[in-house]
Coordinates of all heavy atoms in Angstrom, one line a residue:
M983 N -10.4 11.4 -6.4 CA -9.1 11.7 -6.9 C -8.3 10.2 -6.7 O -8.7 9.6 -5.8 CB -8.4 12.7 -6.1 CG -7.0 13.0 -6.7 SD -6.5 14.6 -6.0 CE -4.9 14.7 -6.7
L984 N -7.4 10.0 -7.5 CA -6.6 8.9 -7.4 C -5.3 9.1 -6.7 O -4.8 10.2 -6.9 CB -6.4 8.1 -8.7 CG -7.5 7.6 -9.4 CD1 -7.2 7.1 -10.8 CD2 -8.2 6.5 -8.6
F985 N -4.7 8.2 -6.0 CA -3.4 8.2 -5.3 C -2.7 7.0 -5.5 O -3.3 5.9 -5.4 CB -3.6 8.5 -3.8 CG -4.2 9.9 -3.5 CD1 -5.6 10.0 -3.5 CD2 -3.5 11.0 -3.2 CE1 -6.1 11.3 -3.2 CE2 -4.0 12.2 -2.9 CZ -5.4 12.3 -2.9
A986 N -1.4 7.1 -5.7 CA -0.5 6.0 -5.7 C 0.3 5.9 -4.4 O 0.8 7.0 -4.0 CB 0.4 6.1 -6.9
I987 N 0.4 4.8 -3.8 CA 1.2 4.6 -2.6 C 2.2 3.6 -3.1 O 2.0 2.5 -3.4 CB 0.4 4.0 -1.5 CG1 -0.8 4.8 -1.0 CG2 1.4 3.7 -0.3 CD1 -1.6 4.2 -0.1
H988 N 3.5 4.1 -3.0 CA 4.7 3.3 -3.4 C 5.5 3.0 -2.2 O 6.0 4.0 -1.6 CB 5.4 4.0 -4.5 CG 6.6 3.2 -5.0 ND1 8.0 3.5 -4.5 CD2 6.7 2.3 -5.9 CE1 8.8 2.6 -5.1 NE2 8.0 1.9 -6.0
A989 N 5.6 1.8 -1.6 CA 6.1 1.5 -0.3 C 7.2 0.5 -0.6 O 7.0 -0.5 -1.1 CB 5.2 1.0 0.6
V990 N 8.5 0.9 -0.2 CA 9.7 0.1 -0.4 C 10.1 -0.6 1.0 O 10.3 0.2 2.0 CB 10.9 0.9 -1.0 CG1 12.1 0.0 -1.1 CG2 10.5 1.4 -2.3
D991 N 10.2 -1.9 1.0 CA 10.6 -2.5 2.3 C 12.0 -2.1 2.7 O 12.9 -1.9 1.9 CB 10.6 -4.1 2.1 CG 9.2 -4.6 1.9 OD1 8.2 -3.8 2.0 OD2 9.0 -5.9 1.7
R992 N 12.2 -2.2 4.0 CA 13.6 -2.0 4.6 C 14.4 -3.3 4.3 O 13.7 -4.4 4.1 CB 13.5 -1.7 6.0 CG 12.9 -2.8 6.8 CD 12.9 -2.4 8.4 NE 12.1 -3.3 9.2 CZ 12.4 -4.6 9.5 NH1 13.5 -5.1 9.1 NH2 11.5 -5.3 10.1
A993 N 15.6 -3.2 4.3 CA 16.4 -4.4 4.1 C 16.2 -5.5 5.1 O 16.0 -5.2 6.3 CB 18.0 -4.1 4.2
G994 N 16.0 -6.7 4.6 CA 15.8 -7.9 5.6 C 14.4 -7.9 6.1 O 14.2 -8.7 7.0
A995 N 13.4 -7.2 5.5 CA 12.0 -7.2 6.1 C 11.2 -8.4 5.6 O 10.0 -8.6 6.2 CB 11.4 -5.9 5.6
L996 N 11.6 -9.2 4.8 CA 10.8 -10.2 4.2 C 10.3 -11.2 5.3 O 9.0 -11.5 5.2 CB 11.5 -11.1 3.1 CG 10.7 -12.2 2.5 CD1 9.5 -11.6 1.8 CD2 11.5 -12.9 1.4
P997 N 11.0 -11.8 6.2 CA 10.5 -12.5 7.3 C 9.3 -11.9 8.1 O 8.3 -12.5 8.4 CB 11.6 -12.9 8.2 CG 12.7 -12.8 7.3 CD 12.5 -11.7 6.4
T998 N 9.5 -10.5 8.4 CA 8.4 -9.8 9.1 C 7.3 -9.6 8.1 O 6.1 -9.7 8.6 CB 9.0 -8.4 9.5 OG1 10.2 -8.7 10.3 CG2 8.1 -7.7 10.3
R999 N 7.6 -9.4 6.8 CA 6.3 -9.2 5.9 C 5.5 -10.4 5.9 O 4.4 -10.4 5.9 CB 7.0 -8.9 4.6 CG 5.9 -9.0 3.4 CD 6.6 -8.7 2.1 NE 6.7 -7.3 1.8 CZ 5.7 -6.6 1.2 NH1 4.5 -7.2 0.9 NH2 5.8 -5.3 1.0
L1000 N 6.2 -11.6 5.9 CA 5.4 -12.9 5.8 C 4.7 -13.2 7.1 O 3.6 -13.7 7.1 CB 6.4 -14.0 5.4 CG 7.1 -13.9 4.1 CD1 8.1 -15.0 3.9 CD2 6.0 -14.0 2.9
D1001 N 5.2 -12.8 8.2 CA 4.6 -12.9 9.5 C 3.3 -12.1 9.6 O 2.3 -12.5 10.3 CB 5.6 -12.6 10.7 CG 6.6 -13.6 10.9 OD1 6.6 -14.6 10.4 OD2 7.6 -13.1 11.6
H1002 N 3.3 -10.9 9.0 CA 2.1 -10.1 9.1 C 1.3 -10.1 7.8 O 0.4 -9.3 7.7 CB 2.6 -8.6 9.3 CG 3.2 -8.5 10.7 ND1 4.6 -8.7 10.9 CD2 2.8 -8.1 11.8 CE1 4.8 -8.5 12.2 NE2 3.7 -8.1 12.7
Y1003 N 1.5 -11.0 6.9 CA 0.8 -11.0 5.6 C -0.7 -11.2 5.8 O -1.5 -10.5 5.2 CB 1.4 -12.0 4.7 CG 0.8 -12.0 3.4 CD1 1.2 -11.1 2.4 CD2 -0.1 -13.0 2.9 CE1 0.7 -11.0 1.1 CE2 -0.6 -13.0 1.7 CZ -0.2 -12.0 0.8 OH -0.8 -11.9 -0.5
D1004 N -1.1 -12.1 6.6 CA -2.5 -12.4 6.9 C -3.2 -11.2 7.5 O -4.4 -10.8 7.0 CB -2.7 -13.7 7.7 CG -2.3 -15.0 7.1 OD1 -2.3 -15.0 5.9 OD2 -2.0 -16.0 7.8
A1005 N -2.6 -10.5 8.4 CA -3.2 -9.3 9.0 C -3.3 -8.2 7.9 O -4.3 -7.5 7.9 CB -2.4 -8.9 10.2
H1006 N -2.3 -8.1 7.1 CA -2.3 -7.1 6.1 C -3.5 -7.4 5.0 O -4.3 -6.4 4.7 CB -1.0 -7.1 5.4 CG -0.9 -6.3 4.1 ND1 -0.9 -5.0 4.0 CD2 -0.9 -6.7 2.8 CE1 -0.8 -4.5 2.8 NE2 -0.8 -5.6 2.0
K1007 N -3.6 -8.6 4.6 CA -4.7 -9.0 3.7 C -6.1 -8.8 4.3 O -7.1 -8.3 3.7 CB -4.5 -10.4 3.3 CG -3.4 -10.7 2.4 CD -3.4 -9.9 1.1 CE -4.4 -10.6 0.1 NZ -4.5 -10.0 -1.2
A1008 N -6.2 -9.0 5.6 CA -7.5 -8.8 6.3 C -7.8 -7.4 6.4 O -9.0 -6.9 6.1 CB -7.5 -9.4 7.7
F1009 N -6.8 -6.5 6.6 CA -7.0 -5.2 6.7 C -7.5 -4.6 5.4 O -8.3 -3.7 5.3 CB -5.6 -4.5 7.1 CG -5.6 -3.0 7.0 CD1 -6.1 -2.2 7.9 CD2 -4.9 -2.4 5.9 CE1 -6.1 -0.8 7.9 CE2 -4.9 -1.0 5.8 CZ -5.5 -0.2 6.8
L1010 N -6.8 -5.0 4.2 CA -7.2 -4.6 2.9 C -8.7 -5.0 2.5 O -9.2 -4.5 1.6 CB -6.2 -5.1 1.9 CG -4.8 -4.6 2.0 CD1 -3.9 -5.2 1.0 CD2 -4.7 -3.1 2.1
S1011 N -9.2 -6.0 3.2 CA -10.5 -6.4 2.7 C -11.6 -5.5 3.0 O -12.7 -5.6 2.3 CB -10.8 -7.8 3.5 OG -11.1 -7.7 4.9
D1012 N -11.5 -4.5 3.9 CA -12.5 -3.6 4.1 C -11.8 -2.2 4.4 O -11.4 -1.9 5.5 CB -13.4 -4.0 5.3 CG -14.5 -3.0 5.5 OD1 -14.8 -2.1 4.7 OD2 -15.2 -3.1 6.6
T1013 N -11.8 -1.3 3.4 CA -11.2 0.0 3.6 C -12.4 1.1 3.9 O -11.9 2.3 3.9 CB -10.3 0.4 2.3 OG1 -11.2 0.4 1.2 CG2 -9.3 -0.7 2.1
S1014 N -13.5 0.7 4.0 CA -14.6 1.7 4.0 C -14.4 2.7 5.2 O -14.8 3.8 5.1 CB -16.0 1.0 4.2 OG -16.1 0.2 5.2
R1015 N -13.9 2.2 6.3 CA -13.8 3.1 7.5 C -12.8 4.3 7.3 O -12.8 5.3 8.0 CB -13.4 2.4 8.8 CG -12.1 1.8 8.8 CD -11.8 1.0 10.0 NE -10.4 0.4 10.2 CZ -10.1 -0.8 9.8 NH1 -10.9 -1.6 9.3 NH2 -8.8 -1.1 9.9
F1016 N -12.0 4.1 6.2 CA -11.1 5.2 5.9 C -11.6 6.1 4.8 O -11.0 7.1 4.5 CB -9.7 4.6 5.5 CG -9.1 3.8 6.6 CD1 -9.1 2.4 6.7 CD2 -8.4 4.5 7.6 CE1 -8.6 1.7 7.7 CE2 -7.8 3.7 8.7 CZ -7.9 2.3 8.7
G1017 N -12.7 5.7 4.1 CA -13.3 6.5 3.0 C -12.5 6.3 1.8 O -12.5 7.2 0.9
V1018 N -11.8 5.2 1.7 CA -10.9 4.9 0.4 C -11.4 3.7 -0.2 O -11.9 2.8 0.4 CB -9.4 4.9 0.7 CG1 -9.0 6.2 1.5 CG2 -9.1 3.7 1.5
K1019 N -11.0 3.6 -1.5 CA -11.3 2.3 -2.3 C -10.0 1.9 -3.0 O -9.4 2.7 -3.7 CB -12.5 2.7 -3.3 CG -12.7 1.5 -4.2 CD -13.7 1.8 -5.3 CE -13.8 0.6 -6.3 NZ -14.6 1.1 -7.4
I1020 N -9.6 0.7 -2.8 CA -8.4 0.2 -3.5 C -8.9 -0.1 -4.9 O -9.7 -1.0 -5.2 CB -7.9 -1.0 -2.8 CG1 -7.5 -0.8 -1.4 CG2 -6.7 -1.6 -3.6 CD1 -7.0 -1.9 -0.6
V1021 N -8.3 0.5 -5.9 CA -8.5 0.2 -7.3 C -7.6 -1.0 -7.7 O -8.1 -1.8 -8.4 CB -8.1 1.5 -8.2 CG1 -8.2 1.1 -9.7 CG2 -9.0 2.6 -7.7
M1022 N -6.4 -1.0 -7.3 CA -5.5 -2.2 -7.5 C -4.5 -2.1 -6.5 O -4.1 -1.0 -5.9 CB -5.0 -2.2 -8.8 CG -4.1 -1.2 -9.2 SD -2.8 -1.4 -10.5 CE -1.6 -2.3 -9.5
S1023 N -3.8 -3.3 -6.1 CA -2.7 -3.4 -5.2 C -1.9 -4.6 -5.3 O -2.5 -5.6 -5.8 CB -3.2 -3.1 -3.7 OG -4.0 -4.3 -3.3
G1024 N -0.8 -4.6 -4.9 CA 0.1 -5.8 -4.9 C 1.4 -5.6 -4.5 O 1.9 -4.4 -4.3
P1025 N 2.2 -6.7 -4.3 CA 3.5 -6.5 -3.9 C 4.5 -6.2 -5.0 O 4.2 -6.5 -6.2 CB 4.0 -8.0 -3.4 CG 3.1 -8.8 -4.1 CD 1.8 -8.1 -4.3
L1026 N 5.5 -5.3 -4.6 CA 6.5 -5.1 -5.7 C 7.5 -6.2 -5.5 O 7.7 -6.7 -4.4 CB 7.3 -3.8 -5.2 CG 6.4 -2.5 -5.3 CD1 7.1 -1.3 -4.7 CD2 5.9 -2.2 -6.7
V1027 N 8.1 -6.6 -6.6 CA 9.1 -7.7 -6.5 C 10.4 -7.3 -7.2 O 10.5 -6.3 -7.9 CB 8.6 -8.9 -7.3 CG1 7.3 -9.5 -6.7 CG2 8.2 -8.6 -8.8
S1028 N 11.5 -8.0 -6.8 CA 12.9 -7.7 -7.3 C 12.9 -8.2 -8.7 O 12.0 -8.8 -9.2 CB 13.9 -8.4 -6.4 OG 13.7 -9.8 -6.4
D1029 N 14.1 -8.0 -9.3 CA 14.3 -8.4 -10.7 C 14.1 -9.8 -11.0 O 13.9 -10.3 -12.1 CB 15.6 -7.9 -11.2 CG 15.7 -6.4 -11.3 OD1 14.7 -5.7 -11.3 OD2 16.9 -5.9 -11.3
D1030 N 14.2 -10.7 -9.9 CA 13.9 -12.1 -10.1 C 12.5 -12.4 -10.3 O 12.1 -13.6 -10.7 CB 14.5 -13.0 -8.9 CG 13.7 -12.8 -7.6 OD1 12.8 -12.1 -7.6 OD2 14.3 -13.2 -6.6
G1031 N 11.5 -11.5 -10.2 CA 10.1 -11.6 -10.4 C 9.5 -12.4 -9.3 O 8.2 -12.7 -9.5
E1032 N 10.0 -12.7 -8.2 CA 9.5 -13.4 -7.1 C 9.6 -12.8 -5.8 O 8.7 -12.9 -4.9 CB 10.0 -14.8 -7.1 CG 9.7 -15.6 -8.4 CD 10.3 -17.0 -8.4 OE1 10.6 -17.5 -7.3 OE2 10.4 -17.6 -9.4
S1033 N 10.8 -12.3 -5.4 CA 11.1 -11.8 -4.1 C 10.4 -10.5 -3.8 O 10.6 -9.5 -4.6 CB 12.6 -11.6 -3.9 OG 13.2 -12.8 -4.1
M1034 N 9.5 -10.5 -2.8 CA 8.8 -9.2 -2.5 C 9.7 -8.3 -1.8 O 10.4 -8.5 -0.9 CB 7.6 -9.7 -1.5 CG 6.5 -10.4 -2.2 SD 5.0 -10.8 -1.2 CE 5.8 -12.1 -0.1
I1035 N 9.6 -7.0 -2.3 CA 10.4 -5.9 -1.9 C 9.7 -4.7 -1.5 O 10.3 -3.6 -1.2 CB 11.6 -5.6 -2.9 CG1 11.1 -5.2 -4.2 CG2 12.5 -6.8 -2.9 CD1 12.0 -4.6 -5.2
G1036 N 8.4 -4.7 -1.6 CA 7.6 -3.5 -1.3 C 6.1 -3.7 -1.6 O 5.7 -4.8 -2.0
S1037 N 5.4 -2.6 -1.7 CA 4.0 -2.7 -2.0 C 3.5 -1.5 -2.9 O 4.2 -0.4 -2.8 CB 3.1 -2.6 -0.6 OG 3.4 -3.6 0.2
L1038 N 2.5 -1.7 -3.7 CA 2.0 -0.7 -4.5 C 0.5 -0.7 -4.5 O -0.1 -1.8 -4.6 CB 2.5 -0.8 -6.0 CG 2.0 0.2 -7.1 CD1 2.7 1.6 -6.7 CD2 2.3 -0.2 -8.5
F1039 N -0.1 0.5 -4.2 CA -1.5 0.7 -4.2 C -2.0 1.8 -5.1 O -1.4 2.8 -5.2 CB -2.0 1.1 -2.8 CG -1.5 0.2 -1.7 CD1 -0.3 0.3 -1.0 CD2 -2.3 -0.9 -1.3 CE1 0.1 -0.5 0.0 CE2 -2.0 -1.8 -0.2 CZ -0.7 -1.6 0.4
L1040 N -3.0 1.6 -5.7 CA -3.8 2.7 -6.5 C -5.1 2.9 -5.7 O -5.9 1.9 -5.6 CB -4.0 2.3 -8.0 CG -4.6 3.3 -8.7 CD1 -3.9 4.7 -8.8 CD2 -4.9 2.8 -10.2
I1041 N -5.2 4.1 -5.1 CA -6.4 4.3 -4.2 C -7.2 5.4 -4.7 O -6.7 6.4 -5.2 CB -5.8 4.7 -2.8 CG1 -4.8 3.6 -2.2 CG2 -6.9 4.9 -1.8 CD1 -5.5 2.4 -1.8
E1042 N -8.5 5.2 -4.7 CA -9.5 6.3 -5.0 C -9.9 6.9 -3.5 O -10.3 6.1 -2.7 CB -10.7 5.8 -5.7 CG -11.6 6.9 -6.2 CD -12.6 6.4 -7.2 OE1 -12.8 5.2 -7.3 OE2 -13.3 7.3 -7.7
A1043 N -9.8 8.2 -3.4 CA -10.0 8.7 -2.1 C -10.4 10.2 -2.3 O -10.0 10.9 -3.3 CB -8.9 8.7 -1.2
P1044 N -11.2 10.8 -1.3 CA -11.5 12.2 -1.4 C -10.4 13.2 -1.3 O -10.3 14.2 -1.9 CB -12.5 12.5 -0.3 CG -12.8 11.2 0.4 CD -11.8 10.1 -0.2
G1045 N -9.3 12.7 -0.5 CA -8.2 13.5 -0.4 C -7.0 12.8 0.3 O -7.1 11.6 0.6
R1046 N -5.9 13.5 0.3 CA -4.7 12.9 0.8 C -4.7 12.4 2.3 O -4.2 11.4 2.6 CB -3.4 13.9 0.6 CG -2.1 13.3 1.0 CD -1.0 14.3 0.8 NE 0.2 13.7 1.2 CZ 1.0 13.0 0.4 NH1 0.9 13.0 -0.9 NH2 2.2 12.6 0.9
S1047 N -5.4 13.2 3.0 CA -5.5 12.8 4.5 C -6.1 11.4 4.7 O -5.6 10.7 5.6 CB -6.2 13.8 5.3 OG -7.6 14.0 4.8
E1048 N -7.2 11.1 3.9 CA -7.7 9.7 4.0 C -6.7 8.6 3.7 O -6.7 7.6 4.2 CB -8.9 9.7 3.1 CG -10.1 10.5 3.7 CD -10.2 11.9 3.2 OE1 -9.1 12.3 2.5 OE2 -11.1 12.6 3.5
V1049 N -5.9 9.0 2.6 CA -5.0 8.0 2.1 C -3.9 7.8 3.1 O -3.4 6.7 3.4 CB -4.4 8.4 0.7 CG1 -3.3 7.5 0.3 CG2 -5.5 8.5 -0.3
E1050 N -3.4 8.9 3.8 CA -2.4 8.7 4.8 C -2.9 8.0 6.0 O -2.2 7.2 6.6 CB -1.9 10.2 5.2 CG -1.2 10.9 4.2 CD -0.8 12.3 4.5 OE1 -1.4 12.9 5.6 OE2 0.0 12.8 3.9
A1051 N -4.2 8.3 6.4 CA -4.7 7.5 7.6 C -4.7 6.1 7.3 O -4.4 5.1 8.1 CB -6.1 8.0 7.9
F1052 N -5.2 5.7 6.1 CA -5.3 4.2 5.6 C -3.9 3.7 5.6 O -3.7 2.6 6.2 CB -5.9 4.3 4.2 CG -5.6 3.0 3.5 CD1 -6.4 1.8 3.8 CD2 -4.6 2.9 2.5 CE1 -6.1 0.6 3.1 CE2 -4.4 1.7 1.8 CZ -5.1 0.6 2.1
N1053 N -2.9 4.3 5.1 CA -1.6 3.7 5.0 C -1.0 3.6 6.4 O -0.4 2.5 6.7 CB -0.7 4.7 4.1 CG 0.7 4.1 4.0 OD1 1.6 4.7 4.6 ND2 0.9 3.1 3.2
H1054 N -1.1 4.5 7.3 CA -0.6 4.5 8.6 C -1.3 3.3 9.5 O -0.6 2.8 10.4 CB -0.7 5.9 9.3 CG 0.2 6.8 8.9 ND1 -0.2 8.1 8.4 CD2 1.6 6.8 8.7 CE1 0.8 8.8 8.0 NE2 1.9 8.0 8.1
A1055 N -2.5 3.0 9.1 CA -3.2 2.0 9.9 C -2.8 0.5 9.4 O -3.2 -0.5 10.0 CB -4.7 2.2 9.8
D1056 N -2.2 0.3 8.3 CA -1.8 -0.9 7.7 C -0.9 -1.7 8.7 O -0.1 -1.1 9.2 CB -1.2 -0.7 6.4 CG -1.0 -2.0 5.5 OD1 -0.5 -3.0 6.0 OD2 -1.4 -2.0 4.4
P1057 N -1.2 -3.0 8.9 CA -0.4 -3.7 9.7 C 1.1 -3.8 9.2 O 2.0 -3.9 10.1 CB -1.0 -5.2 9.7 CG -2.4 -4.9 9.4 CD -2.4 -3.7 8.5
F1058 N 1.3 -3.6 7.9 CA 2.8 -3.6 7.5 C 3.4 -2.3 8.0 O 4.6 -2.3 8.4 CB 2.8 -3.6 6.0 CG 2.7 -5.0 5.3 CD1 2.6 -6.2 6.1 CD2 2.7 -5.1 4.0 CE1 2.4 -7.4 5.5 CE2 2.6 -6.4 3.4 CZ 2.5 -7.6 4.3
A1059 N 2.8 -1.1 8.0 CA 3.3 0.0 8.6 C 3.6 -0.1 10.1 O 4.7 0.3 10.5 CB 2.4 1.2 8.3
A1060 N 2.6 -0.7 10.8 CA 2.9 -0.9 12.2 C 4.0 -1.8 12.6 O 4.7 -1.6 13.6 CB 1.5 -1.4 12.9
A1061 N 4.3 -2.7 11.7 CA 5.4 -3.7 12.0 C 6.7 -3.1 11.4 O 7.7 -3.7 11.6 CB 5.1 -5.0 11.2
G1062 N 6.7 -1.9 10.8 CA 8.0 -1.2 10.4 C 8.6 -1.9 9.2 O 9.7 -1.9 9.0
I1063 N 7.8 -2.5 8.4 CA 8.2 -3.2 7.2 C 8.8 -2.2 6.1 O 9.8 -2.5 5.5 CB 7.2 -4.1 6.6 CG1 6.9 -5.3 7.5 CG2 7.5 -4.6 5.2 CD1 5.8 -6.1 7.2
W1064 N 8.0 -1.1 5.9 CA 8.4 -0.2 4.9 C 9.5 0.8 5.3 O 9.4 1.4 6.3 CB 7.1 0.5 4.4 CG 6.2 -0.4 3.7 CD1 6.4 -1.4 2.9 CD2 4.8 -0.2 3.9 NE1 5.2 -1.9 2.5 CE2 4.1 -1.3 3.1 CE3 3.9 0.5 4.6 CZ2 2.8 -1.4 3.0 CZ3 2.5 0.4 4.6 CH2 2.0 -0.7 3.7
E1065 N 10.4 1.0 4.5 CA 11.6 1.9 4.7 C 11.2 3.3 4.3 O 11.4 4.3 4.8 CB 12.9 1.4 4.1 CG 14.0 2.4 4.3 CD 15.3 1.9 3.7 OE1 15.4 0.8 3.1 OE2 16.3 2.6 3.9
K1066 N 10.5 3.2 3.1 CA 10.2 4.5 2.5 C 8.8 4.4 1.8 O 8.6 3.4 1.1 CB 11.2 4.9 1.4 CG 10.9 6.3 0.6 CD 12.0 6.6 -0.3 CE 11.5 8.0 -1.0 NZ 12.4 8.3 -2.1
V1067 N 7.9 5.3 2.2 CA 6.6 5.4 1.5 C 6.4 6.7 0.8 O 6.6 7.7 1.4 CB 5.5 5.1 2.7 CG1 4.1 5.4 2.0 CG2 5.6 3.8 3.3
T1068 N 6.0 6.7 -0.4 CA 5.6 7.8 -1.2 C 4.2 7.8 -1.7 O 3.8 6.8 -2.2 CB 6.6 7.9 -2.5 OG1 8.0 7.9 -2.0 CG2 6.3 9.3 -3.3
I1069 N 3.4 8.8 -1.3 CA 2.1 9.0 -1.7 C 1.9 10.1 -2.7 O 2.4 11.2 -2.5 CB 1.2 9.2 -0.5 CG1 1.2 8.1 0.5 CG2 -0.3 9.5 -1.0 CD1 0.6 8.3 1.8
T1070 N 1.5 9.8 -3.9 CA 1.4 10.8 -4.9 C -0.1 10.7 -5.6 O -0.7 9.7 -5.8 CB 2.3 10.5 -6.1 OG1 3.7 10.3 -5.5 CG2 2.4 11.5 -7.1
G1071 N -0.6 11.9 -5.6 CA -2.0 12.1 -6.2 C -1.8 12.3 -7.7 O -0.8 12.9 -8.1
F1072 N -2.9 11.9 -8.4 CA -2.9 12.1 -9.8 C -4.4 12.2 -10.4 O -5.2 11.7 -9.8 CB -2.0 11.2 -10.7 CG -2.4 9.8 -10.6 CD1 -3.2 9.2 -11.6 CD2 -2.1 8.9 -9.6 CE1 -3.6 7.9 -11.5 CE2 -2.4 7.6 -9.5 CZ -3.2 7.0 -10.5
L1073 N -4.4 12.9 -11.4 CA -5.7 13.1 -12.1 C -6.0 11.9 -13.0 O -5.2 11.5 -13.8 CB -5.9 14.4 -12.7 CG -5.7 15.6 -11.8 CD1 -5.7 17.0 -12.6 CD2 -6.9 15.6 -10.8
R1074 N -7.2 11.5 -13.0 CA -7.6 10.4 -14.0 C -7.9 11.1 -15.3 O -8.6 12.1 -15.5 CB -8.9 9.8 -13.5 CG -9.4 8.6 -14.3 CD -10.6 8.0 -13.8 NE -10.6 7.9 -12.4 CZ -11.1 6.8 -11.8 NH1 -11.6 5.8 -12.5 NH2 -11.1 6.7 -10.4
R1075 N -7.2 10.6 -16.2 CA -7.3 11.1 -17.7 C -8.5 10.5 -18.4 O -8.7 9.2 -18.3 CB -6.1 10.8 -18.4 CG -6.0 11.4 -19.7 CD -4.7 11.2 -20.3 NE -4.6 12.2 -21.4 CZ -3.5 12.6 -22.0 NH1 -2.3 11.9 -21.7 NH2 -3.4 13.5 -22.9
Q1076 N -9.4 11.3 -18.9 CA -10.6 10.9 -19.6 C -10.2 10.7 -21.1 O -9.5 11.3 -21.6 CB -11.7 12.0 -19.6 CG -12.1 12.4 -18.1 CD -12.7 11.3 -17.4 OE1 -13.4 10.4 -18.0 NE2 -12.5 11.2 -16.1
G1077 N -10.9 9.7 -21.6 CA -10.7 9.4 -23.1 C -9.9 8.2 -23.2 O -9.4 7.5 -23.9

């Protein structure tokens, strides 16, 4: 099953985001211990097309609990960067 993680940064989080960016990227390099696969991911940006304001992940996983464990272990989550995180499952459409 596929899941979307939509995470919006808290106000003023950019300096903290940049401080934890390398740890976040290293964390994303191996998701096997969580039983999830990142299909795609990247930062959300403001209307200027440059300022990072959140994160978006498309995750393949057996269930929501694996996605939640993966998300909670992210260094960005531990650093309190995200103000709001929404995890939504969806079915892959064939054809």
Side-chain angles (χ1 to χ4, degrees):
M983 185 165 178
L984 294 175
F985 293 85
I987 302 173
H988 183 262
V990 178
D991 290 359
R992 62 179 167 75
L996 185 57
T998 306
R999 171 182 272 276
L1000 295 175
D1001 287 345
H1002 292 85
Y1003 187 75
D1004 289 341
H1006 169 73
K1007 291 298 283 185
F1009 171 78
L1010 297 181
S1011 70
D1012 182 10
T1013 62
S1014 62
R1015 70 181 184 266
F1016 299 99
V1018 305
K1019 177 184 173 190
I1020 298 174
V1021 177
M1022 63 151 284
S1023 66
L1026 298 172
V1027 295
S1028 65
D1029 289 342
D1030 68 10
E1032 295 180 21
S1033 301
M1034 292 182 283
I1035 59 168
S1037 302
L1038 179 67
F1039 303 87
L1040 181 59
I1041 306 289
E1042 187 171 11
R1046 184 181 178 92
S1047 62
E1048 290 86 356
V1049 178
E1050 288 176 348
F1052 162 76
N1053 181 253
H1054 287 124
D1056 191 307
F1058 279 1
I1063 292 168
W1064 295 319
E1065 179 177 1
K1066 181 178 180 185
V1067 175
T1068 305
I1069 299 173
T1070 307
F1072 61 98
L1073 298 175
R1074 188 182 311 224
R1075 189 171 198 166
Q1076 300 297 325

